[in-house]
Amino acid sequence: MAVLRLFAMLIPAVLVFATSGAQAQSRPPVSQCQAIAERLPDVKFASLAPVAYEAPEVAITFVGHSTFLIETPGGLRIATDYSGFSLPGGAADVATMNKAHESHFTLMPDPEIEIVLHGWGDTPGQPADHDLVVEDTYIRNVTTDIRSWASDDGFEHDGNSIFIFEVADLCIGHLGHLHHELTDKHIAEIGRLDIVMVPVDGGLTLGAESMRNVIERLHSSLVLPMHRTGPRVRDFAAMFADQYEIVYSEDRTVRVSLSSLPRPPRILLLQGVW
């Protein structure tokens, strides 16, 4: 009888556990990079890896202008700010785009690209809102404004997206065509960025000092300049010589895992950028 009573007591617990497990599987994805507490301007986000854990690598290749090819451990291929560039290895599976000017998007993407994500709202008055899992990668966006001569205040609100890719325990962000510094709300929505792709321009995007403020607030371990090449981008990197390791790579590709993130933080100029 005692055994039967014990078994009867255990049945509800088993049912609760099974029900909870089923509910957990049906829940939407939860960001591992986003801030838990909102609007904390001075918070620093930590990356934690299990001891003796061999972290999978992500390959990031500079293709041109603001387009990078991200290749995940699961084989997913993502092209950022894709404008029709021919990509090494063929078409991407996912392409993200922004619209500040036509070198950041195309209206005729390769038909083999399965998923195209616009950084602007396709419905007037509605910002882009992406929140999806594609194979081993969680993709989301945080919108920012872009300059516009057609607007009374000089900005098209929510016209640009910072795309964030969460894969292999890494938080990877692409700032797109950023035209203003980030607010506390932006920082909280973005969360931790281990790797950030930053437009260097000083004119069409954000000025050098303002972009420096953005980079310092994001606390990323690896900064990948983009958008411009040559002396301007080298001068930009030199601004951080007292805080970051500055590396000029002879390769267009960098392979990164959670355990290989540089310490101290690094500004890496891939071949084709510098």
Side-chain angles (χ1 to χ4, degrees):
M1 291 296 292
V3 172
L4 289 176
R5 282 198 299 270
L6 178 60
F7 181 71
M9 291 171 63
L10 287 174
I11 288 176
V14 172
L15 290 175
V16 168
F17 176 81
T19 303
S20 300
Q23 289 175 344
Q25 291 177 359
S26 64
R27 291 172 185 160
V30 177
S31 171
Q32 301 301 308
C33 307
Q34 203 166 25
I36 296 174
E38 294 185 355
R39 300 180 185 178
L40 297 176
D42 298 319
V43 71
K44 294 186 180 181
F45 302 95
S47 298
L48 301 177
V51 176
Y53 169 63
E54 186 175 346
E57 286 187 331
V58 174
I60 302 174
T61 300
F62 178 68
V63 179
H65 199 62
S66 292
T67 302
F68 289 85
L69 177 64
I70 302 171
E71 297 175 278
T72 75
L76 187 69
R77 291 162 53 84
I78 304 167
T80 66
D81 273 24
Y82 175 74
S83 63
F85 278 110
S86 178
L87 300 173
D93 302 299
V94 179
T96 66
M97 299 182 186
N98 276 300
K99 69 169 186 177
H101 53 84
E102 61 185 12
S103 54
H104 293 253
F105 75 98
T106 176
L107 296 178
M108 294 184 293
D110 188 327
E112 292 188 14
I113 299 174
E114 295 182 10
I115 300 173
V116 175
L117 303 176
H118 291 165
W120 62 92
D122 293 314
T123 302
Q126 295 295 320
D129 184 12
H130 302 298
D131 187 57
L132 69 159
V133 174
V134 186
E135 296 184 16
D136 59 348
T137 306
Y138 174 33
I139 305 173
R140 58 189 177 89
N141 74 307
V142 174
T143 59
T144 62
D145 303 337
I146 55 174
R147 286 185 291 274
S148 172
W149 299 110
S151 175
D152 292 338
D153 63 0
F155 280 92
E156 177 186 344
H157 299 288
D158 300 309
N160 177 74
S161 279
I162 296 170
F163 280 97
I164 299 154
F165 312 95
E166 303 189 19
V167 56
D169 297 321
L170 290 167
C171 307
I172 304 170
H174 188 287
L175 298 186
H177 209 273
L178 188 63
H179 286 185
H180 58 79
E181 291 195 33
L182 300 177
T183 65
D184 293 350
K185 185 174 184 294
H186 288 129
I187 296 295
E189 289 176 347
I190 291 167
R192 186 185 96 238
L193 288 185
D194 302 304
I195 304 167
V196 62
M197 303 164 193
V198 177
V200 175
D201 187 282
L204 294 175
T205 58
L206 194 59
E209 286 295 337
S210 292
M211 189 61 76
R212 176 177 184 147
N213 293 339
V214 169
I215 292 173
E216 289 176 345
R217 292 198 67 188
L218 289 172
H219 304 291
S220 301
S221 296
L222 184 62
V223 178
L224 301 176
M226 61 180 184
H227 197 260
R228 289 293 292 270
T229 61
R232 187 183 293 272
V233 74
R234 292 196 293 269
D235 291 343
F236 178 80
M239 293 173 55
F240 296 87
D242 59 336
Q243 299 171 270
Y244 290 74
E245 179 187 14
I246 312 299
V247 175
Y248 291 82
S249 176
E250 296 291 343
D251 200 334
R252 298 184 81 96
T253 299
V254 59
R255 298 183 180 277
V256 191
S257 70
L258 186 63
S259 60
S260 70
L261 285 171
R263 297 175 180 82
R266 176 180 301 164
I267 293 182
L268 176 63
L269 292 87
L270 292 172
Q271 178 64 40
V273 173
W274 56 276

